[in-house]
Amino acid sequence: MNSLNKLLELTELLVTDEHIIRFKQLEKIIDHNEILKADYNNLLDLQKLMVQNETKKSPNYNDSKINYDAQKEKIMSNFILEEYLDLIELINNDLQMIKNIIEREINIDFD
């Protein structure tokens, strides 16, 4: 099997993965609900601010972390957003694993 066929097979596996299908369903629900979308976007904004403050070693880091944690707790009380965040983490971990496997295989060819 050549590399293109393997890539097409991997793509098909990802497209038909139950977690990715569910993620897309939840994404549509969130996109069509202004409250859920606003809560999620607020979490992302607070996360960005927290990371910026941490990177800059800002004295505001603790406050930004408290605000982020409070928003995350609020979101986790909604089963749709909780499942969505859990799936994001699961899918990202899977994609990271795939990336690492591909990098390892590429590096073997160059060593």
Side-chain angles (χ1 to χ4, degrees):
M1 180 181 277
N2 69 31
S3 297
L4 184 56
N5 287 341
K6 288 181 183 180
L7 182 60
L8 290 173
E9 184 179 320
L10 176 60
T11 303
E12 181 62 28
L13 288 172
L14 290 173
V15 169
T16 59
D17 181 82
E18 65 184 56
H19 294 119
I20 292 176
I21 291 170
R22 179 64 178 153
F23 173 80
K24 288 179 181 180
Q25 292 169 343
L26 292 172
E27 193 171 48
K28 283 182 184 177
I29 292 169
I30 293 167
D31 283 345
H32 290 92
N33 183 308
E34 292 302 318
I35 294 170
L36 294 177
K37 187 169 28 172
D39 282 346
Y40 179 69
N41 286 333
N42 188 28
L43 179 71
L44 294 179
D45 291 342
L46 290 170
Q47 183 181 40
K48 288 175 192 174
L49 180 61
M50 180 183 68
V51 170
Q52 287 172 357
N53 286 336
E54 182 180 30
T55 302
K56 295 176 184 176
K57 300 193 186 314
S58 169
N60 297 327
Y61 170 72
N62 286 334
D63 290 338
S64 61
K65 180 160 178 31
I66 289 169
N67 291 335
Y68 170 78
D69 289 342
Q71 181 65 16
K72 187 169 183 181
E73 187 174 320
K74 176 184 175 187
I75 279 183
M76 294 306 265
S77 69
N78 180 295
F79 70 94
I80 291 172
L81 289 171
E82 178 184 19
E83 183 180 2
Y84 183 73
L85 289 177
D86 289 345
L87 285 171
I88 286 175
E89 184 175 348
L90 180 78
I91 292 167
N92 281 339
N93 288 340
D94 288 348
L95 291 174
Q96 185 64 44
M97 180 186 65
I98 291 168
K99 177 183 169 266
N100 290 339
I101 290 169
I102 291 169
E103 284 178 349
R104 188 175 60 238
E105 292 300 315
I106 289 172
N107 287 334
I108 288 172
D109 287 344
F110 287 110
D111 288 338

